[in-house]
Amino acid sequence: MCRLAAITASEYFSPLENVYALETMKEGHDGSGMGLMLKDLGGFAEPLKEYPVLSGICSNDGLKRIEDYMLAQGFREVHMWNPVIKPLPGVDKKDCYFAKFYDYPVSYKEKPWKEKELLLLGTRLALRRMGESDESIVVFSFYPDVITLKEVGDPLQLAEYFGLDRDGLKARIVLAQGRQNTNYAINLYACHPFFIQGFGTMTNGENTAFVPIREYLMSRGFQGYTGYQSDSEVFTHILHYTVNRLGFPLPYYKHIITPLKRQEMEGRPDRDALLLMRQSMRMLVIDGPNCVIGFTPDGTCFMVQDSKKLRPGAVGGRKGKYALMSEECGIDKAVPERDRSEDIFPMKYDMVIVSPGAQEVKVWNQLKN
Amino acid sequence: MEPTEKLDKNHQLTLKEFPYTISWRDDRCTRCGQCTAVCPVKAIVPDVRVERVVSSEGSLPAPKVSRRVVQVVRQVNDIDRYCTGCAMCQLVCPNAAIEPEFNPSHKFLHFKNKGGDAYKRGGRRNDPSPSTLDQLKFTRISMLTDPALDAGRHEFHLRTFLGRILPPESLPLKAEDGRLVVDRKSDVFVPPVREIYPIMIGSMSVGALSPPMWEGLAMGVAYLNEELGMPVVMCSGEGGMPPRLLKSRFLKYYVLQIASGYFGWDEIVRALPSMVEDPAAIEIKYGQGAKPGDGGLLMSYKVLKLISSIRGVPMMVDLASPPTHQTKYSIEEAVAKMIQSMSMAWGFRVPVYPKISGTKTAKAVLNNLARNPFAAALSIDGEDGGTGAAYNVSMDKMGHPIASNIRECYLDLVKQGKQNELPLIAAGGVGKKGNLAANAAALIMLGASAVSIGKYLMQSTADCLGDENNRCNLCNTGRCPRGITTQDPKLYRRLDSSKVAERLVDVFRAADTELKKIFAPLGRSTELPIGMSDGLSVADKAIAERLGISYVC
């Protein structure tokens, strides 16, 4: 089972903290891979917040093709972070790991944010398609203030491999997931966390209803709902669909993936709305076993369980720093100086929401709210 | 001079031509006469024959030959009185002296056209081979990487929706203080949607079924709904319903069918102002899987007082429904108008959907309905469906299997992103070999929102004798030996409606358990696995390819 380690804080911190937390949970994962997603970047990237960052892996030929394509689209590269790789046995080294910071094409500079967002998404998907057949280009995210790193191998070793301790890479939100995809083919696109237009999630467990959910998302007519090398990618896209496409408040994500039973809806002021959603969005209902941890564009972080609470998950911390982990030992590592008695173990109706900047944590109960 | 025909019995059929031959044991028979009395087709008769008897009396053998007249049971070789294999004789025999035996090398169809009258019967397609549905396996079992659910412990939501469902983008919702509420000022039409049990009881009319059979099913449905909380709905079939039921609170458990003969609709329309509940739905029948493209027929001898009053027709006349609705001009106009008219009759509070027979043109129908916001579902009835009366050729040779038909329709909806907007109801051969839950689950995983069953229920609730070897299949004659499809009180008094109701409840409770036993290991419980085709496999490459599922061996 995947191990998940998310930290959200008011101050910048190194993603190494997440890796160390993952290391404490090592008994539960097989060290077969790691995905890191950093949001609200600090360190060398702090002055570059406004520029969209293209994160990925490519061959030397792929790099050339990326540069040509981006140039042709009018993107101007303002910075490139490519970690100095320390080769390690067992890790299949690729030519180039990169996070390229771009300025928007001139024609887009004055365009509304929604259009810019679509441009970034379309560009990422175009690059993905360009390199899909020969795996010369793999791109994980293209968005301002977000960097994604993924590779097959042991998380601690990968931290060394990427030199995470060297380059001063920091962020206020970091999601880390340990273990490669086990249900489908080994593929870097199958590695959590997944990202789309400011939304990122990672999951442990297996999504048994993957196929109908995938078909439903793919038929929504939105270009970003594609990929699905992993059954967990749909969780990110359902979140995006709920909040971005439908404009629903975040807690309704829980209502969509694990709807209340009819008798539980009775007497609620939103009963009629929930009933309509129950019908209309039944293809998006999950059965788990899943614990989903993620963030939204405004920096809110959350943890949500399936309707039977079949996977572990805990949230703990103090004002200014919270950890959302699949195991409590990870929280102990990340935020040792906290009141453990206030740790939260969300159950089947709960959604734990940590406000932006890790200022406040709330347990939103689906039944009571 | 005697004609040779009479001397050598030429132009008479040997019993080898018959589908069933009677095996009768002289030594066991007590000559009670029950078998010959019960035979619905008079295929066996009491007869006499002369026997040569060799006997010996005394201490030394002294054989004497004598002749005596004995009473026997004889099978007649009249094609109009062929043994149907129903085995009622065997059932009533007190001494296990008689039984019909299937004759696989019969030439029945060569002769069952006497007088130029093509063979008509009831029942289903005479094909005993396993259907595609019965070949499908559930292979994606949750193991180790995810725990299988527990059919006994976890909560299951085995319900489906009947009605047109709005896509999320069209829902009239607005956020108020972080909470979604329905925007009452919105002018979006929210179609009526029922939450029902995913196994529906298909259309079998009051006239086709005997009073105790229909009553038994109705009682069972009421019990399932009101005592067990299982929202099972039942379709009326063509021909209306008893007015008392139309005006009762139980109407909500019924789907009212309107078909090409419009039988029973005078009474339904008259009862409208007095209805205290809306029906579950309205089904417009355009076709039937068992006899695609053919109309309905209720034989005159079934049209007795009750039926004639419900249907609003004279007694003792053949009631033929045309193959198609006479008003059907085009799907865009006539069908759409009919759906709207029926919707309007109930103030747009009742889902209205068409039922068609399985056909290669199903996708064309589907695509039109997908564009019609009032179409509540599409019911597709495959070739293995049953009927009370049809030409044998229609039943055996016409129609489309349900599996690939439902699959291609579902995938077509997926392409349009409407897979959750227009529910597909699959019928025709569900439970053909007794695997009701497995067949239903397979169809749901291929894309059906619900399945509809008919003949399985006749077999399991009232011991209907019919099978795919043309056993019995006398539904059309009004001489149903079980009292299921007859209006003859002498026959239907054999059937106890309470027992039918009890068995119906048994069937649904058992199917419910079996569905959970299938869905739990697949890891699905809070919603039906509609379209979860990755859970299905088949050991036949061609089927796998056609259905878009995996091949296993």
Side-chain angles (χ1 to χ4, degrees), chain B residues 248-404:
Chain B
S248 77
R249 67 185 174 84
F250 301 107
L251 183 62
K252 61 186 171 195
Y253 308 139
Y254 294 89
V255 174
L256 295 179
Q257 189 189 71
I258 184 163
S260 55
Y262 306 118
F263 293 122
W265 276 79
D266 278 352
E267 286 301 321
I268 291 174
V269 171
R270 269 191 214 112
L272 252 171
S274 317
M275 286 181 187
V276 291
E277 289 281 353
D278 289 330
I282 307 296
E283 178 177 281
I284 306 173
K285 179 190 162 188
Y286 289 102
Q288 184 175 347
K291 46 179 171 180
D294 205 359
L297 180 64
L298 191 68
M299 303 299 277
S300 58
Y301 36 80
K302 281 188 168 182
V303 188
L304 302 181
K305 194 174 171 194
L306 174 71
I307 307 306
S308 74
S309 66
I310 293 174
R311 295 201 173 194
V313 293
M315 284 167 59
M316 299 303 281
V317 292
D318 280 347
L319 297 183
S321 304
T324 183
H325 290 245
Q326 299 304 299
T327 52
K328 192 168 74 185
Y329 171 67
S330 74
I331 188 165
E332 289 83 0
E333 294 155 295
V335 176
K337 274 179 192 163
M338 189 143 181
I339 290 173
Q340 270 165 276
S341 305
M342 301 310 295
S343 299
M344 207 181 295
W346 272 273
F348 293 90
R349 299 185 309 272
V350 178
V352 181
Y353 66 89
K355 171 187 165 185
I356 60 168
S357 50
T359 163
K360 280 187 176 179
T361 62
K363 274 204 318 191
V365 176
L366 178 83
N367 283 318
N368 190 273
L369 295 177
R371 289 191 292 272
N372 177 349
F374 298 105
L378 174 62
S379 178
I380 305 178
D381 192 11
E383 64 171 352
D384 278 319
T387 178
Y391 282 92
N392 179 69
V393 70
S394 298
M395 265 189 268
D396 275 3
K397 298 297 171 195
M398 305 293 293
H400 195 298
I402 188 62
S404 62

Side-chain angles (χ1 to χ4, degrees), chain A residues 329-362:
Chain A
C329 55
I331 306 176
D332 289 344
K333 184 72 185 173
V335 202
E337 67 299 355
R338 72 185 197 283
D339 181 356
R340 290 190 81 205
S341 67
E342 290 191 3
D343 284 359
I344 300 159
F345 298 88
M347 299 307 286
K348 63 180 188 175
Y349 290 115
D350 297 332
M351 184 172 198
V352 184
I353 299 174
V354 185
S355 65
Q359 292 305 299
E360 183 183 34
V361 61
K362 267 189 190 170

Side-chain angles (χ1 to χ4, degrees), chain A residues 43-61:
Chain A
F44 71 87
E46 195 178 354
L48 303 168
K49 276 180 181 291
E50 66 189 280
Y51 299 114
V53 193
L54 180 69
S55 305
I57 303 172
C58 61
S59 63
N60 289 330
D61 173 56

Side-chain angles (χ1 to χ4, degrees), chain B residues 102-233:
Chain B
F102 180 61
N103 169 22
S105 55
H106 69 83
K107 296 209 288 279
F108 176 65
L109 292 180
H110 292 69
F111 304 106
K112 189 62 184 131
N113 47 19
K114 213 167 131 185
D117 195 10
Y119 177 36
K120 292 188 281 289
R121 63 181 178 89
R124 80 286 291 139
R125 198 164 65 98
N126 282 328
D127 178 4
S129 59
S131 64
T132 301
L133 295 179
D134 277 318
Q135 295 177 58
L136 302 183
K137 309 163 195 285
F138 305 99
T139 48
R140 193 198 163 282
I141 313 298
S142 297
M143 279 290 145
L144 299 180
T145 56
D146 58 328
L149 303 176
D150 185 336
R153 187 169 60 92
H154 285 122
E155 286 176 343
F156 279 75
H157 184 78
L158 299 185
R159 299 288 184 270
T160 194
F161 296 117
L162 177 61
R164 185 59 171 247
I165 297 168
L166 289 178
E169 294 82 359
S170 305
L171 292 177
L173 300 179
K174 59 177 182 180
E176 275 180 2
D177 304 327
R179 199 184 279 277
L180 286 177
V181 291
V182 174
D183 183 0
R184 305 286 171 198
K185 287 181 186 159
S186 159
D187 56 1
V188 172
F189 167 59
V190 180
V193 176
R194 308 280 193 252
E195 188 173 285
I196 63 166
Y197 196 73
I199 301 177
M200 302 164 71
I201 302 179
S203 40
M204 295 176 286
S205 75
V206 177
L209 299 183
S210 66
M213 185 63 200
W214 214 83
E215 211 173 273
L217 292 177
M219 284 195 295
V221 166
Y223 188 91
L224 286 165
N225 277 275
E226 303 202 343
E227 295 297 319
L228 301 183
M230 292 172 73
V232 174
V233 297

Side-chain angles (χ1 to χ4, degrees), chain A residues 60-84:
Chain A
N60 289 330
D61 173 56
L63 185 64
K64 174 86 176 58
R65 289 165 66 204
I66 291 173
E67 283 169 354
D68 290 349
Y69 181 80
M70 295 303 273
L71 200 62
Q73 298 303 305
F75 284 102
R76 185 177 61 85
E77 188 175 315
V78 291
H79 184 78
M80 174 167 166
W81 175 71
N82 56 332
V84 180

